[in-house]
Amino acid sequence: MTILSWLQLIFYLAVLLLLAKPLGTHMARVYQGERTFLHPILQPAERLFYRAMGTSPETEMDWKTYALAMLLFNLVGLLVVYLLQRLQGILPLNPEGLAAVTPDSSWNTAVSFASNTNWQGYGGEVTMSYLTQMLGMTVQNFVSAAAGMATLIAFIRGFTRHTAQTIGNFWVDLTRSVLYILLPLAFVVAL
């Protein structure tokens, strides 16, 4: 490795170590339902999502209901990404007139984004329409990561709540992951 490579690695590790405590504390507060500095800005959107999903932050799920909600959410996301690719030739926001993506590539991409591995076996701008990239790939980049984060939090709650029958609410954890953690991080990193 070159000196520049070592310096980049050291810089990355230093930033990671510096952010571990404040970001970890923020995430803990978010998942415990405590107020954060982002609440005045994001709480109205959070309430809107709960109303749209028909859930409440006070309603918790047992592990079976939580797992079913997570699996169904990921299945719907997988099918939406697959259908967007297969139907992009007749959908709007396709100024290049790109044809539908082949079934095997569509399935591979949909599974890849739903599982948050994001493996891409194509050239995005010459294969995917704007709509497919916006609604399929970009949305999945956030919600599949949020679903993984929510599942990890539920797993942790399962260990820490020894005698409790519930482990949280998937929809609440998903919403909080996106609104209070992933979107602000994306905003900061973009700047």
Side-chain angles (χ1 to χ4, degrees), residues 23-133:
L23 184 57
T25 301
H26 174 71
M27 290 174 71
R29 291 178 58 94
V30 166
Y31 289 120
Q32 291 169 2
E34 297 175 9
R35 191 166 176 79
T36 69
F37 68 97
L38 294 170
H39 270 72
I41 302 164
L42 298 174
Q43 198 166 37
E46 182 182 11
R47 285 191 200 120
L48 181 67
F49 280 119
Y50 295 154
R51 195 171 314 129
M53 290 182 276
T55 193
S56 161
E58 291 78 33
T59 307
E60 293 210 353
M61 302 171 168
D62 65 7
W63 74 267
K64 292 175 235 154
T65 307
Y66 198 103
L68 183 63
M70 184 272 300
L71 290 171
L72 288 174
F73 176 77
N74 281 315
L75 177 64
V76 168
L78 182 143
L79 294 174
V80 166
V81 171
Y82 178 80
L83 289 173
L84 278 170
Q85 292 175 87
R86 294 297 297 139
L87 300 173
Q88 81 177 359
I90 60 171
L91 293 174
L93 294 176
N94 187 3
E96 290 85 16
L98 297 171
V101 180
T102 61
D104 59 328
S105 183
S106 294
W107 182 254
N108 182 50
T109 302
V111 168
S112 154
F113 275 81
S115 63
N116 203 30
T117 53
N118 301 358
W119 185 82
Q120 299 174 6
Y122 56 84
E125 293 77 23
V126 296
T127 308
M128 305 289 179
S129 70
Y130 296 150
L131 182 72
T132 303
Q133 289 182 63

